[in-house]
Amino acid sequence: MVSHAQANQQTLVKLLVVACAMFGFGFAMVPFYRVLCDALGLNSVLKPDLPPVNTQVDTGRFLTIEFDANLRSNLPWTFTPVEKSVRIHPGALTQVTFEVRNRSDRRVTGQAIPSFGPQLAGRYFKKLDCFCFTQQTLAPGEARRMPVVFVVEPGLPQDVNTVTLSYTFFEVEGKAGKDS
Amino acid sequence: MEAAHAHHGHGDHAHHPYGIMRWITTTNHKDIGTLYLVFSLTMFFIGGLLAMGIRLELLEPGMQFWRPEFFNQLTSMHGLIMVFGAIMPAFVGFANWQVPMMIGAPDMAFARMNNWSFWLLPVGATLLVASFFVPGGATAAGWTIYAPLSTQMGPGMDLAIFALHIMGASSIMGSINIITTILNMRAPGMTLMKMPLFVWTWLITAYLLIAVMPVLAGAVTMLLTDRHFGTNFFNAAGGGDPVLFQHVFWFFGHPEVYIMILPGFGIVSQVVPTFSRKPLFGYSSMVYATASIAILSFIVWAHHMFTVGMPAVAQLFFMYATMLIAVPTGVKVFNWIATMWKGSLTFETPMLFACGFIFVFSMGGFTGLVLAITPVDIQLQDTYYVVAHFHYVLVAGSLFALFAGVYFWIPKWTGHMYDELLGKWHFWLSMIFFNITFFPMHFTGLAGLPRRVPDYNMQFADFNFISSIGSFGFGLSQLILVYVVVKCIRGAGEKVSDKVWEGAHGLEWTLPSPPPYHTFETPPVVK
Ligand code: HEM
Ligand SMILES: [Cu+2]
């Protein structure tokens, strides 16, 4: 029986090691996922896009680009697009402005996340400059006008005539909010 | 480690305490098996009650009974309780009772740890159930607790996270115990390829559990730190990504669904040969099929995520890998049917449930195949078609296998035959009401009814009404099971022989019925 107990202990230790390794594996999926997404060019909405190679403006076609601005529930800001929508040609470099104001009496840092409707338009929507590429920190009461510079590639499927660019500002907690 | 805790005062096997203390301190595999089974039956009824709440709201279109938030709590908690409280512990209960008796071992390898693994469960379950009563109520993020929903909810979500940690720890400990017992404590002559299939399926399941429960623990830990400690694993604003949660969750989640079915395959593989009076057809192919299902289950997880915007190559890969799993599954179904072929069949309740299992589980397998086709799944994702699929494999699969196992072994465990007539009623009512409940969901799903929504368009009214009526019938039918089990335990019903079933083979049937408290203290020799 003693040898039995010893063999059991050994198996126990081995299996515990496997369990701990798998706990680590769960966390290892995080950097692995990042690397994979970067390598495959997925999920790059927060980085400037390369200007499109074919910058020919398709003057024969009009697109309506609508702008939408949202705040995640507890962020004490106001956030609005200056232009509600613009009518442009595919391939034309366009600049629009968003306004944001901190309504609270503390410093708050926020990060905007863009999304597109229809979703597939995102692939043809090239942002060359955007306030979403960096976090925005606003002092109490501070207001800011922020540009977005973009080109919609002429390759956008013909049946898409309206694209909505929607931003949601999230508070980045534990940053400016706490140290002031 | 074992020894250190044995002299806590109540170690000695010969004079175990009586009354409640016996159950709290027990290290006997049969006692612990009973505890697991009673616990899971209780959770089965709690989870069932929540399901009745869901179907009550869905009986008619419009909002009648609950606020929408509470409806979502019902669906989420129903799933969590059934998966982690009912199905998984029930199979562990079977492992505790049966594995030592089937391989000729005196007890589980780590008897004290066995006691802990059980008693963690009521703690986790209490946290889970208590979360209904905290501000904001229980988690309403679905049993899949997807971020970012789950990073936003109230304290009920934290309780669910702790409950998952605790129940996960319990499963890991239980699995370590099962693997060690099977690997090190088999009777002389009981080679691996002579082990009963139930033991084989549990060995493989236990490995799956050890591989993926820690991943779930990691995922919910990340949720917890995102919620309270300023990390940004899943928070888009901080550079995280909610889709990452889905990948980590399903890396656990898909093997998890096989964790819930493989021991069921094992039970059916014991029952079918017994009532066909023939050895199992293709024993070794069964073992290999089980192992290949387990291995493949690690590379198919993203079939739950076809709509998150994966590259087409990835979608294709996961589609084909998923379809591949149907092959070993098909091998199993084929073998069960071949076992019955030209056997002298009788249809006692365990066999009825096993046949019901084979039939209805296969239908669930087919809808799984349909869902595996990416372009089809993009239409069907998050509709009632998926709900129909997984209830066909989980209720008519895992649960019916558990029922088959209960009727099969309860005469051995209690020494008394169950009430055959009531058993048959239980089977037929369950089978009929199950199909009344879930078959219409294929149609509503195909027509686009989304899951986890408390209200629906008028066009779905008739099918939902039928589903709800069926579910009430199914729920009520389960009371028969309780009655039958209680009758057996109280010693009503004729006394049974050691062998119980004419066609039974295996070490457990060489023991008296009921088996004495300690069995196989001197190992039997298997030829
Ligand atoms: C032939 C074998 C199987 C195949 C091909 C298969 C395929 C699939 C697919 C593609 C989905 C995703 C559907 C969607 O969300 O759009 C799914 C969902 C699901 N399957 Fe299966 N499946 C199989 C067997 C099983 C078994 C044996 C179980 C459990 C006993 C199971 C349990 C589930 C569950 C619980 C879900 C839904 C998870 C959720 O979203 O909440 N499946 N299955
Ligand atoms: Cu799956």
Side-chain angles (χ1 to χ4, degrees):
Chain A
M1 278 317 268
V2 176
S3 65
H4 231 77
Q6 263 171 1
N8 288 354
Q9 293 291 326
Q10 280 171 5
T11 316
L12 174 80
V13 172
K14 279 186 212 154
L15 293 172
L16 274 178
V17 170
V18 176
C20 294
M22 288 311 290
F23 186 70
F25 175 82
F27 286 87
M29 282 174 84
V30 180
F32 182 67
Y33 176 80
R34 294 273 148 72
V35 172
L36 211 65
C37 286
D38 280 347
L40 296 174
L42 299 169
N43 213 8
S44 49
V45 287
L46 297 185
K47 293 188 201 77
D49 294 302
L50 297 173
V53 263
N54 177 5
T55 44
Q56 193 102 53
V57 180
D58 180 0
T59 45
R61 185 173 167 203
F62 276 104
L63 279 178
T64 306
I65 313 292
E66 298 179 334
F67 302 100
D68 176 41
N70 306 288
L71 295 166
R72 171 77 169 268
S73 52
N74 52 359
L75 189 62
W77 288 5
T78 50
F79 176 37
T80 42
V82 173
E83 301 90 346
K84 287 273 169 285
S85 69
V86 292
R87 261 166 84 74
I88 55 160
H89 298 298
L93 194 69
T94 312
Q95 170 160 358
V96 294
T97 309
F98 282 71
E99 257 179 0
V100 62
R101 199 168 65 78
N102 182 353
R103 286 185 287 108
S104 75
D105 50 9
R106 59 186 176 95
R107 281 171 74 82
V108 179
T109 301
Q111 166 74 56
I113 306 288
S115 70
F116 299 96
Q119 205 184 358
L120 102 164
R123 219 181 301 157
Y124 304 91
F125 202 104
K126 302 293 176 191
K127 298 190 294 317
L128 307 184
D129 188 14
C130 175
F131 54 89
C132 61
F133 297 157
T134 52
Q135 297 182 343
Q136 305 288 330
T137 302
L138 296 187
E142 186 185 345
R144 187 173 294 168
R145 291 167 71 91
M146 307 174 300
V148 179
V149 179
F150 64 88
V151 177
V152 180
E153 284 190 340
L156 183 75
Q158 290 295 329
D159 58 339
V160 181
N161 298 314
T162 306
V163 176
T164 306
L165 169 59
S166 169
Y167 286 101
T168 304
F169 249 112
F170 293 78
E171 177 165 2
V172 180
E173 277 162 63
K175 266 234 154 147
K178 298 232 166 87
D179 60 31
S180 64
Chain B
M1 184 179 164
E2 290 297 303
H5 290 274
H7 58 226
H8 244 287
H10 31 246
D12 202 311
H13 283 285
H15 351 252
H16 48 86
Y18 289 93
I20 180 86
M21 282 316 278
R22 162 184 170 187
W23 296 104
I24 292 180
T25 62
T26 185
T27 57
N28 178 283
H29 74 99
K30 301 187 186 74
D31 281 355
I32 293 177
T34 307
L35 285 172
Y36 267 108
L37 289 171
V38 170
F39 170 80
S40 59
L41 188 65
T42 315
M43 297 311 282
F44 174 57
F45 277 94
I46 296 178
L49 211 63
L50 303 181
M52 297 298 100
I54 298 171
R55 287 312 325 174
L56 196 64
E57 182 59 60
L58 296 177
L59 186 68
E60 288 177 341
M63 301 297 296
Q64 278 91 25
F65 294 94
W66 319 119
R67 288 168 293 116
E69 311 85 71
F70 184 67
F71 180 87
N72 288 349
Q73 295 175 26
L74 287 178
T75 53
S76 309
M77 293 292 283
H78 163 71
L80 286 170
I81 288 180
M82 285 304 196
V83 168
F84 294 99
I87 302 280
M88 291 172 65
F91 280 124
V92 183
F94 274 90
N96 264 287
W97 257 103
Q98 288 303 127
V99 167
M101 294 205 296
M102 290 172 113
I103 62 173
D107 204 313
M108 298 296 276
F110 307 105
R112 176 61 58 188
M113 184 166 86
N114 206 11
N115 173 288
W116 297 342
S117 0
F118 172 74
W119 282 107
L120 281 177
L121 281 180
V123 179
T126 311
L127 284 181
L128 212 51
V129 174
S131 71
F132 270 116
F133 305 101
V134 299
T139 171
W143 83 279
T144 51
I145 49 173
Y146 275 8
L149 260 184
S150 50
T151 50
Q152 298 173 51
M153 292 186 161
M157 189 67 221
D158 295 313
L159 289 180
I161 290 175
F162 292 137
L164 286 176
H165 272 136
I166 293 173
M167 292 172 143
S170 158
S171 318
I172 293 172
M173 284 157 68
S175 309
I176 290 180
N177 224 328
I178 290 168
I179 295 179
T180 312
T181 310
I182 298 176
L183 290 186
N184 297 352
M185 299 183 52
R186 296 189 310 276
M190 175 67 77
T191 58
L192 283 177
M193 288 312 269
K194 271 191 195 157
M195 292 195 313
L197 238 118
F198 178 70
V199 180
W200 255 116
T201 51
W202 243 118
L203 180 64
I204 291 167
T205 304
Y207 273 115
L208 277 182
L209 274 166
I210 290 186
V212 301
M213 283 314 282
V215 176
L216 175 68
V220 295
T221 306
M222 291 184 226
L223 274 185
L224 196 70
T225 58
D226 265 16
R227 287 166 61 81
H228 297 295
F229 303 108
T231 58
N232 289 306
F233 289 107
F234 310 125
N235 180 4
D241 187 345
V243 174
L244 171 65
F245 180 84
Q246 300 189 20
H247 280 287
V248 185
F249 180 87
W250 286 115
F251 185 85
F252 148 81
H254 186 82
E256 166 70 13
V257 308
Y258 283 98
I259 286 164
M260 292 190 282
I261 197 68
L262 292 183
F265 288 169
I267 293 176
V268 171
S269 304
Q270 302 299 133
V271 170
V272 169
T274 303
F275 297 94
S276 307
R277 293 164 183 77
K278 273 176 64 193
L280 184 69
F281 182 88
Y283 171 90
S284 49
S285 70
M286 283 303 224
V287 174
Y288 296 131
T290 313
S292 26
I293 292 177
I295 292 163
L296 285 175
S297 75
F298 284 105
I299 54 159
V300 299
W301 76 88
H303 64 213
H304 297 274
M305 306 168 53
F306 282 142
T307 56
V308 298
M310 276 187 293
V313 213
Q315 292 187 332
L316 279 176
F317 170 79
F318 285 109
M319 169 167 124
Y320 289 128
T322 304
M323 291 181 164
L324 207 58
I325 290 204
V327 177
T329 314
V331 168
K332 289 187 153 285
V333 173
F334 176 82
N335 285 351
W336 290 320
I337 294 173
T339 307
M340 287 191 258
W341 181 253
K342 292 195 173 161
S344 48
L345 299 171
T346 52
F347 292 93
E348 287 86 346
T349 310
M351 183 63 165
L352 282 178
F353 271 110
C355 292
F357 168 97
I358 297 171
F359 176 50
V360 189
F361 172 81
S362 301
M363 292 171 57
F366 282 127
T367 52
L369 272 175
V370 172
L371 290 169
I373 306 166
T374 309
V376 177
D377 185 69
I378 288 170
Q379 298 296 311
L380 294 179
Q381 163 104 74
D382 264 330
T383 66
Y384 266 79
Y385 195 87
V386 178
V387 178
H389 159 66
F390 68 73
H391 284 88
Y392 267 75
V393 282
L394 276 172
V395 177
S398 311
L399 189 66
F400 278 16
L402 284 163
F403 288 161
V406 168
Y407 286 104
F408 188 51
W409 281 306
I410 206 168
K412 169 57 63 188
W413 297 340
T414 63
H416 294 275
M417 188 45 92
Y418 61 84
D419 188 326
E420 187 66 63
L421 183 70
L422 283 180
K424 289 198 162 125
W425 271 101
H426 179 219
F427 169 74
W428 285 111
L429 289 177
S430 298
M431 186 72 176
I432 291 166
F433 281 126
F434 168 80
N435 281 292
I436 295 180
T437 310
F438 293 104
F439 202 74
M441 291 182 187
H442 293 113
F443 305 131
T444 51
L446 285 169
L449 176 61
R451 64 192 277 210
R452 295 169 170 162
V453 179
D455 192 6
Y456 48 84
N457 194 297
M458 277 305 287
Q459 82 187 91
F460 301 113
D462 293 347
F463 278 140
N464 269 295
F465 185 78
I466 297 172
S467 279
S468 284
I469 297 299
S471 74
F472 302 148
F474 187 86
L476 286 177
S477 315
Q478 303 319 310
L479 297 174
I480 304 177
L481 173 76
V482 180
Y483 182 72
V484 171
V485 169
V486 170
K487 250 178 90 174
C488 263
I489 295 175
R490 307 184 104 201
E494 61 184 275
K495 294 206 73 79
V496 291
S497 67
D498 294 359
K499 210 171 166 202
V500 183
W501 310 107
E502 181 199 331
H505 289 285
L507 287 178
E508 79 263 42
W509 309 110
T510 63
L511 295 166
S513 307
Y517 200 59
H518 297 292
T519 43
F520 294 134
E521 301 213 280
T522 44
V525 177
V526 182
K527 283 185 261 350

